[in-house]
Amino acid sequence: MDRVALRGLKARGHHGVFPKEREEGQTFIVDIVLGLDTRPAAADDDLTKTVHYGIVAEEVVAVVEGEPVNLIETLAERIAQACLKHEGVEEVEVRVHKPDAPITVPFDDVTVTITRSRV
């Protein structure tokens, strides 16, 4: 299976279990890796035979900016389901970064990574 990756998609969302997170929001960063067969697109040099990663990027940002959820696990699941709606995408790996998570000790990042497929 071939891979198309988008890394570092940034959007502001209001996800989290604490009222401050819901009220003020924070930046989330999303990486996705789409699994699909790119041979038909490459053979014909035809965008319609592959995934349009620009559209996928816009949809991912819309999910992050959309309805708030408590957990980034839930956010990752919603992003994965949006990606799998694209014809030809057989699987997706989603990593959601929450670099401003409300943690009381020094840290660089918090991430949740999931893999989902059509199977």
Side-chain angles (χ1 to χ4, degrees):
M1 190 166 310
D2 303 319
R3 304 277 184 241
V4 174
L6 291 130
R7 303 205 191 278
L9 296 169
K10 294 179 183 172
R12 189 158 187 85
H14 293 264
H15 311 291
V17 296
F18 297 113
K20 183 177 179 181
E21 294 179 290
R22 291 295 184 107
E23 293 165 12
E24 296 179 10
Q26 60 191 290
T27 298
F28 293 84
I29 302 167
V30 179
D31 306 320
I32 60 171
V33 180
L34 306 167
L36 65 152
D37 183 358
T38 63
R39 289 176 291 191
D44 294 337
D45 198 28
D46 186 350
L47 176 62
T48 65
K49 295 182 178 179
T50 188
V51 64
H52 191 311
Y53 52 78
I55 291 173
V56 173
E58 291 171 359
E59 292 172 355
V60 168
V61 166
V63 172
V64 174
E65 292 175 343
E67 179 184 350
V69 296
N70 289 332
L71 304 176
I72 57 175
E73 292 87 343
T74 307
L75 183 59
E77 184 67 35
R78 288 183 178 183
I79 292 168
Q81 293 310 313
C83 292
L84 288 171
K85 289 181 180 177
H86 287 267
E87 186 176 338
V89 175
E90 294 297 322
E91 71 178 29
V92 61
E93 179 184 278
V94 176
R95 177 171 292 124
V96 176
H97 301 255
K98 189 175 180 181
D100 298 320
I103 297 175
T104 61
V105 297
F107 74 102
D108 288 330
D109 198 7
V110 172
T111 66
V112 167
T113 304
I114 66 170
T115 302
R116 298 292 182 265
S117 65
R118 290 186 184 271
V119 178

